[in-house]
Amino acid sequence: MLNSRVAERRDILRALGEVFRAHGYEGASLTLITEATGLGKGSLYHLFPGGKQQMAEEVLADIDGWFEQNIYVPLRSAEDPARAIAAMIAGVDRYFASGDRICLVGLVALGVARDHFAGAVDSYFARWHQALVALLRKSGLTNAQAQRRSEDALLTIQGALVLARARNDSKIFRRALSDLTTRLLTPAEK
Amino acid sequence: MLNSRVAERRDILRALGEVFRAHGYEGASLTLITEATGLGKGSLYHLFPGGKQQMAEEVLADIDGWFEQNIYVPLRSAEDPARAIAAMIAGVDRYFASGDRICLVGLVALGVARDHFAGAVDSYFARWHQALVALLRKSGLTNAQAQRRSEDALLTIQGALVLARARNDSKIFRRALSDLTTRLLTPAEK
DNA sequence: GTCTATAAAGCGATAGAC
DNA sequence: GTCTATCGCTTTATAGAC
């Protein structure tokens, strides 16, 4: 029963996440949230006394948890770099629905809301970056090379999501992920 | 006197652009716009009878015009690809204040406002892409190579802006532009 | 724990004086 | 051409019945 409550809350957070994704933090009105979750304002403020700010915080924490579990942990504990990178790319492709779903953390980062969630936004990318650096070092790259290549990976994913949506062409995202895989697997030069 | 009116309007559009950049389309309230421009609501609606929608349309058109003149035209008319690429990177670095200023077109693309400005958003990137493709073909790349490399350039710039702001580190943007220059100048393989 | 009703503030937009 | 006052609506948030 405790588990069902947790599961329920997570379902609500997932629904909330899609509203924030579609309308942004300021655009996600309580009316839209009410429709998406099926919960009245009374219920919402009972579950999230901190209002919209708390909702967004928990949504970001939920997303963070998903990436921690499905991307960062496998990256850190991997033994075979090539397989780990392929798994990361596959996970990213799945999460972002091959370019049809944008990154809420990236969207928040670009808006004013970023100042309210700066810690969560930075941590999401910082931990991803560090996990990827650790993996790439195992594949023989120097620290500087691994740092730069990991940064390139994160930025490529974000840019591909922006451009795919701007041009309404998810093939852009798929091509970018494919090329990124190749770049990440290329042995270090020099 | 006609010129001064045009110049004045452009100054207003530049101020409007910064408000939209900082707060997004939905977040840019008329109160904020009033403060940023120094114009009352009456004046604003006299200048822009179409309201906020018209303001955003003209801001996007102004940005588009800036890129057309300062980036796309030089790209199309260039004779020396290496110099043209260096000039484009320099222009991009200047426009985005080395990563301290985000791309309004990219921000709009990620939000709901995208549907209202889909044409302008797509055109901005499509024309940039085409101008870059034409230039890269002059440097000996096949059409497919030029297409892919141009796409990579656009997406890298957008991603670098997102990541630099997310991590509050404009060095990320500068590094990305530097690496991008190298990639664009690398001779075609095979 | 969920609802309806409502408060208080802010929104985009308009009217009309000057 | 710019201002103030105001309209009608929506916003976040709260109160209180059930």
Side-chain angles (χ1 to χ4, degrees):
Chain A
M1 51 178 72
L2 193 93
N3 277 340
S4 82
R5 289 165 99 108
V6 175
E8 236 181 78
R9 191 173 186 91
R10 196 171 60 188
D11 290 341
I12 294 168
L13 288 175
R14 298 288 155 97
L16 281 172
E18 295 312 315
V19 181
F20 285 125
R21 227 179 277 276
H23 299 92
Y25 178 71
E26 21 269 332
S29 71
L30 289 192
T31 302
L32 287 169
I33 291 172
T34 292
E35 289 167 1
T37 57
L39 268 52
K41 293 180 191 178
S43 306
L44 284 169
Y45 276 91
H46 177 76
L47 289 165
F48 304 95
K52 241 173 84 166
Q53 163 102 15
Q54 186 184 347
M55 293 180 209
E57 275 167 12
E58 292 200 24
V59 165
L60 288 177
D62 178 59
I63 292 171
D64 196 275
W66 191 95
F67 275 82
E68 178 66 35
Q69 184 180 337
N70 293 280
I71 308 283
Y72 311 160
V73 164
L75 233 34
R76 289 190 206 108
S77 62
E79 311 228 338
D80 179 355
R83 282 179 60 112
I85 285 167
M88 179 188 90
I89 297 292
V92 165
D93 184 63
R94 187 159 50 95
Y95 186 84
F96 293 116
S98 297
D100 287 335
R101 195 179 185 219
I102 66 161
C103 178
L104 181 58
V105 186
L107 176 62
V108 168
L110 286 184
V112 255
R114 181 205 148 217
D115 299 331
H116 298 118
F117 308 105
V121 168
D122 183 71
S123 169
Y124 169 84
F125 287 113
R127 278 158 45 238
W128 192 346
H129 187 256
Q130 271 315 106
L132 198 48
V133 166
L135 182 91
L136 290 178
R137 294 219 56 183
K138 283 186 198 160
S139 75
L141 268 61
T142 67
N143 185 50
Q145 288 169 330
Q147 294 273 350
R148 190 56 199 86
R149 210 177 268 199
S150 299
E151 194 168 284
D152 170 62
L154 265 47
L155 140 191
T156 295
I157 293 167
Q158 293 299 312
L161 288 169
V162 172
L163 196 61
R165 200 165 142 77
R167 309 222 47 199
N168 195 28
D169 181 2
S170 60
K171 289 195 294 299
I172 292 171
F173 182 73
R174 280 182 273 237
R175 275 195 291 268
L177 280 197
S178 169
D179 286 17
L180 176 59
T181 308
T182 307
R183 282 209 299 276
L184 284 173
L185 292 174
T186 301
E189 292 171 29
K190 174 180 165 17
Chain B
M1 52 177 68
L2 193 92
N3 277 341
S4 82
R5 288 165 99 106
V6 174
E8 236 181 75
R9 190 173 187 89
R10 198 169 61 186
D11 290 341
I12 294 169
L13 288 175
R14 298 286 155 102
L16 281 173
E18 295 311 316
V19 182
F20 284 125
R21 227 180 276 277
H23 301 274
Y25 178 71
E26 21 269 332
S29 70
L30 289 191
T31 302
L32 286 169
I33 291 172
T34 291
E35 289 166 2
T37 58
L39 268 51
K41 293 181 191 181
S43 307
L44 284 170
Y45 276 90
H46 178 76
L47 289 165
F48 305 94
K52 238 173 89 167
Q53 164 102 15
Q54 186 185 348
M55 294 179 206
E57 274 167 12
E58 291 200 26
V59 166
L60 288 176
D62 178 59
I63 292 171
D64 196 274
W66 191 94
F67 274 83
E68 177 68 35
Q69 185 181 336
N70 294 280
I71 308 282
Y72 311 161
V73 164
L75 234 32
R76 289 192 206 106
S77 63
E79 312 229 338
D80 179 354
R83 281 179 60 111
I85 285 167
M88 178 187 92
I89 296 291
V92 165
D93 184 63
R94 185 160 49 96
Y95 185 84
F96 294 115
S98 298
D100 287 334
R101 194 177 185 222
I102 66 162
C103 177
L104 181 57
V105 188
L107 176 62
V108 168
L110 285 184
V112 257
R114 180 205 150 220
D115 299 332
H116 298 119
F117 308 105
V121 168
D122 184 70
S123 168
Y124 169 85
F125 287 114
R127 278 158 43 237
W128 194 346
H129 182 77
Q130 273 314 108
L132 198 47
V133 166
L135 181 91
L136 290 178
R137 294 218 56 181
K138 283 186 198 158
S139 74
L141 268 60
T142 66
N143 185 50
Q145 288 169 330
Q147 294 273 350
R148 190 57 199 84
R149 210 177 269 197
S150 300
E151 195 168 285
D152 171 60
L154 266 48
L155 139 192
T156 295
I157 293 166
Q158 293 299 311
L161 289 169
V162 172
L163 197 60
R165 198 165 143 76
R167 307 222 47 197
N168 195 30
D169 181 2
S170 61
K171 288 193 297 300
I172 292 171
F173 182 73
R174 280 182 273 235
R175 275 195 293 268
L177 279 196
S178 170
D179 286 17
L180 177 59
T181 307
T182 307
R183 281 209 299 277
L184 284 173
L185 291 175
T186 301
E189 293 172 26
K190 171 178 172 357

